[in-house]
Amino acid sequence: MRAAKNWKAYRVIDTSDGEKLEIWNGVSLIRPDPQVIWKTPKTARLWTQADARYHRSSSGGGKWEFHAKLPEKWELPYGDLKFQIRPTGFKHTGLFPEQAVNWDFMDGLIRNAGRDISVLNLFAYTGGATLACANAGASVCHVDASKGMVQWARENAALSGLQDKPIRWIVDDCEKFTQREIRRGKKYDAIIMDPPSYGRGPGGEVWKLENCIFDLVKTCVDVLSDKPLFFLINSYTTGLSPSVMGYILDSLLTKKYGGHVYFDEIGLPVEESGMCLPCGSTAVWCSHDASEAFR
């Protein structure tokens, strides 16, 4: 497992009985986590004194219970980057901290490429990967279907002092946008995608990752430059293993471009247990020149 170990302002204190206890730059939150099926003793003091707890409803969704007056939003730094954090109605805070291990990886690839790199970030959410790549010197096209998420990402860029970097902010369906980029002859040196497990399109179309991911990656191959640097896929879909995503990338990219494919779980270190909490998986194809960075 590849763990996001370089956080200073974010910590996972403990995990037990379907929940994780976290610190977000001084704010303590308890949130549900489906991976936490163990029921170890909750001995950490903050289990009973956390600032807020999210309660999942048996009928779907849930709500926050606040034990302290929290700011509407606050900042969370990671190296040169800063993110705006706020609890949302669906247990999320606007950031997936485990992705920091991928931000560091992409930062290294871009800085060591020895050339200008253009990145297409699909399902880009609040812009963690966008900011990491822009901060490393890449130009980035940030695409998400949610206007609110794109605005949140722009605010994160401003917080990080990256508002003047070459970032295109696009509110659009990711697959349709990519198809238009192909018709326009636009090319990118790197692609990042963090697609949802399940969703519906504007016309009611059903999206299930396991049914759609191969065709989406196949489409995206046509927007890659002649000398691509990397192609990275994140997945939070239970049952879709890292090796399955790795096989998809290998079958569509390695024969055409050479290079290597790597895949693994990503996670977060847990202070009380010393274990690492699984938080999804990543598969990445890298060019031959970039492959050593993954090891």
Side-chain angles (χ1 to χ4, degrees), residues 69-104:
K69 184 173 177 57
L70 299 184
E72 180 183 346
K73 55 189 177 184
W74 65 96
E75 292 182 12
L76 181 73
Y78 184 78
D80 295 335
L81 309 179
K82 291 182 180 178
F83 301 97
Q84 181 188 107
I85 302 301
R86 62 175 184 261
T88 71
F90 296 95
K91 84 170 184 178
H92 298 302
T93 62
L95 196 70
F96 294 95
E98 64 274 8
Q99 287 298 327
V101 70
N102 286 329
W103 305 340
D104 293 343

Side-chain angles (χ1 to χ4, degrees), residues 184-229:
R184 288 188 284 251
K186 180 68 175 176
K187 298 292 183 179
Y188 296 89
D189 302 304
I191 294 176
I192 305 161
M193 62 170 66
D194 201 342
S197 298
Y198 178 86
R200 289 188 178 274
E205 309 92 338
V206 174
W207 161 276
K208 291 186 70 176
L209 183 61
E210 58 268 37
N211 295 338
C212 302
I213 187 62
F214 182 86
D215 289 338
L216 178 59
V217 174
K218 186 176 181 181
T219 296
C220 289
V221 171
D222 291 335
V223 83
L224 282 172
S225 67
D226 293 334
K227 193 179 177 182
L229 185 64

Side-chain angles (χ1 to χ4, degrees), residues 48-249:
T48 58
Q49 298 178 24
D51 295 319
R53 188 179 210 139
Y54 188 88
H55 297 278
R56 189 181 296 281
S57 170
S58 59
S59 59
K63 65 178 182 179
W64 286 95
E65 177 186 6
F66 294 98
H67 304 133
K69 184 173 177 57
L70 299 184
E72 180 183 346
K73 55 189 177 184
W74 65 96
E75 292 182 12
L76 181 73
Y78 184 78
D80 295 335
L81 309 179
K82 291 182 180 178
F83 301 97
Q84 181 188 107
I85 302 301
R86 62 175 184 261
T88 71
F90 296 95
K91 84 170 184 178
H92 298 302
T93 62
L95 196 70
F96 294 95
E98 64 274 8
Q99 287 298 327
V101 70
N102 286 329
W103 305 340
D104 293 343
F105 165 66
M106 293 183 286
D107 179 285
L109 289 186
I110 292 166
R111 291 183 189 274
N112 294 319
R115 57 190 171 102
D116 292 338
I117 298 296
S118 59
V119 178
L120 176 62
N121 187 12
L122 301 173
F123 310 95
Y125 195 49
T126 60
T130 293
L131 271 58
C133 292
N135 189 57
S139 60
V140 186
C141 182
H142 174 111
V143 187
D144 197 282
S146 167
K147 184 178 180 180
M149 291 299 107
V150 173
Q151 178 57 35
W152 196 335
R154 294 185 72 138
E155 293 168 5
N156 285 337
L159 280 177
S160 301
L162 299 172
Q163 64 271 22
D164 296 326
K165 294 293 184 179
I167 304 173
R168 295 170 63 200
W169 304 102
I170 306 295
V171 180
D172 203 346
D173 176 89
C174 290
E175 186 169 11
K176 291 178 180 177
F177 174 81
T178 302
Q179 291 168 346
R180 286 197 296 274
E181 291 287 82
I182 293 169
R183 293 194 293 270
R184 288 188 284 251
K186 180 68 175 176
K187 298 292 183 179
Y188 296 89
D189 302 304
I191 294 176
I192 305 161
M193 62 170 66
D194 201 342
S197 298
Y198 178 86
R200 289 188 178 274
E205 309 92 338
V206 174
W207 161 276
K208 291 186 70 176
L209 183 61
E210 58 268 37
N211 295 338
C212 302
I213 187 62
F214 182 86
D215 289 338
L216 178 59
V217 174
K218 186 176 181 181
T219 296
C220 289
V221 171
D222 291 335
V223 83
L224 282 172
S225 67
D226 293 334
K227 193 179 177 182
L229 185 64
F230 67 87
F231 194 128
L232 185 146
I233 307 174
N234 292 308
S235 171
Y236 291 89
T237 301
T238 303
L240 188 62
S241 70
S243 57
V244 168
M245 295 190 301
Y247 183 79
I248 291 172
L249 289 178

